[in-house]
Amino acid sequence: MSRKDFATLLLLAFAWGASFLFMRIASPELGPVFTTELRVTIAGAALLLYALLTRRKLGLLKHWKSFLLLGAINAALPFTLICMAELHLSASLAAILNATTPMFAALAAWGTRKEKPGAAKSVGLIIGLVGVGVLVGWSPLPLTSTVLLSVGYSLGAALCYAFGGLYASRVGSGLTPLALAAGQQLGASVVLLPLAVLFAPDHLPSSAAVYSVLGLSLICTSVAYLLYFRLIANIGPVKTVSVTFLVPVFGLLWGVIFLQEQVYATTIAGLVIILLSVLLVNRRARKE
C-alpha cells in the first residue's frame, strides 16, 4: 500500500468514525428515517453536481435497478438502523458494534458464494460473538429490552453492509467510484422518500442538528464513499477492509471528545476482542 493510499485509508476512517457522532446528534431531533433521507439526498445531490461540473458520466439511467438495490442494502437500511440504535446507545458503542461487519461478510460469502470459513475464520467468528457479549453484557449500560433491541439494530446494520459490499463488488465492474457513490446515495434517497415524508419532523431542528446533517452528508457520505470506492479500485477490497480496525477507534475518540461519553474497561476489552476477531476473519485473505 502506497503512502497516498494509506493516507486515504486514514481519512476514510476519520470520516466514517465521525458519522456516529453526527448521527447521535441529529437522529434524536429529526428521527432516524428523516436523518438518513437528508443524508443520502444531500450527498447524492453533491456528487451529482460534481459529476456535472467535471463532465463525468454516471450511467444512472442505464444502471438504475442496480443503484436502487445497492442504495437500499448498503445505505438506506444500514444508515437508518444505526440512527435507530443511537437513540439509546452511545456513538462509541455503536461504532464498535459496527466493526463486526467483516464477521458478517464472511458469513454472507459463505451463504451466497459457498465460501466455507476455514479454521481461522471460524475461530474469529466465535471470538467476535464473545467480544459483543463483553461489550454489551459486561458494560454498565442497563440491559433493558430497548437497549438489546438497539444492539440488534447495530448488528443488523453490519449485516446489511456485509451483503452490500458483496453486491457492490458484483455490480461495480466497469463503473467508476463516482458513479457507484452517486448511484448508491441517489438510489437510497428514492427508496426512503415515502417513509421520510411519513416520518418528517414537525419542528425546526437546532443548529447542532443542521451542522451534523451537513457533516454527515458531505464529509461522511459524499467524500467518504468516493474514497472508499477509490480504495477498492486501487488496493482491492481485502486491504480496504482494514479500515474496519480504525473506524471504531475514531468513533470512540469523537464520542469522548465532543459528547463527553464515558469509556469503561469493558468498552476497551470488547473493542480489542472484536478487532482480534476481524483480524482472524481476514487472515487468510490477507495472506493471499
Side-chain angles (χ1 to χ4, degrees), residues 59-82:
L60 296 178
L61 295 179
K62 182 179 179 181
H63 302 283
W64 68 271
K65 291 182 180 179
S66 297
F67 287 144
L68 278 178
L69 185 55
L70 181 63
I73 300 173
N74 211 37
L77 187 53
F79 291 172
T80 303
L81 285 172
I82 294 173

Side-chain angles (χ1 to χ4, degrees), residues 235-261:
I235 64 177
V238 172
K239 290 183 178 179
T240 301
V241 83
S242 60
V243 73
T244 310
F245 293 96
L246 301 172
V247 170
V249 176
F250 278 106
L252 189 151
L253 183 63
W254 302 149
V256 170
I257 293 175
F258 294 104
L259 299 178
Q260 289 76 52
E261 294 180 349

Side-chain angles (χ1 to χ4, degrees), residues 41-282:
T41 301
I42 295 172
L47 290 169
L48 184 59
L49 178 61
Y50 175 75
L52 292 173
L53 292 175
T54 56
R55 298 181 180 180
R56 308 280 186 87
K57 293 183 179 180
L58 300 179
L60 296 178
L61 295 179
K62 182 179 179 181
H63 302 283
W64 68 271
K65 291 182 180 179
S66 297
F67 287 144
L68 278 178
L69 185 55
L70 181 63
I73 300 173
N74 211 37
L77 187 53
F79 291 172
T80 303
L81 285 172
I82 294 173
C83 284
M84 291 170 66
E86 290 201 55
L87 293 177
H88 305 285
L89 301 181
S90 65
S92 53
L93 180 57
I96 296 172
L97 286 171
N98 194 246
T100 59
T101 296
M103 293 169 44
F104 289 110
L107 292 174
W110 186 12
T112 59
R113 298 179 179 178
K114 307 302 179 184
E115 297 178 7
K116 292 184 179 181
K121 285 188 178 182
S122 298
V123 172
L125 292 172
I126 295 172
I127 290 177
L129 293 176
V130 173
V132 172
V134 170
L135 183 66
V136 178
W138 288 357
S139 73
L141 198 66
L143 293 182
T144 63
S145 58
T146 300
V147 169
L148 291 176
L149 188 59
S150 298
V151 171
Y153 290 149
S154 285
L155 296 177
L159 179 62
C160 290
Y161 284 136
F163 280 103
L166 290 175
Y167 185 69
S169 65
R170 184 164 71 87
V171 302
S173 178
L175 294 174
T176 64
L178 178 59
L180 279 171
Q184 173 178 290
Q185 306 315 320
L186 293 172
S189 176
V190 172
V191 169
L192 270 182
L193 183 59
L195 284 176
V197 173
L198 184 63
F199 291 102
D202 57 0
H203 60 276
L204 292 176
S206 66
S207 58
V210 172
Y211 292 138
S212 293
V213 167
L214 290 176
L216 192 59
S217 304
L218 301 177
I219 299 173
C220 305
T221 309
S222 294
V223 173
Y225 272 95
L226 279 177
L227 298 176
Y228 172 69
F229 288 122
R230 183 169 297 171
L231 279 171
I232 288 180
N234 289 348
I235 64 177
V238 172
K239 290 183 178 179
T240 301
V241 83
S242 60
V243 73
T244 310
F245 293 96
L246 301 172
V247 170
V249 176
F250 278 106
L252 189 151
L253 183 63
W254 302 149
V256 170
I257 293 175
F258 294 104
L259 299 178
Q260 289 76 52
E261 294 180 349
Q262 291 185 321
V263 178
Y264 304 97
T266 52
T267 306
I268 302 300
L271 171 61
V272 171
I273 294 171
I274 289 174
L275 293 184
L276 175 61
S277 165
V278 173
L279 180 64
L280 289 173
V281 166
N282 289 281

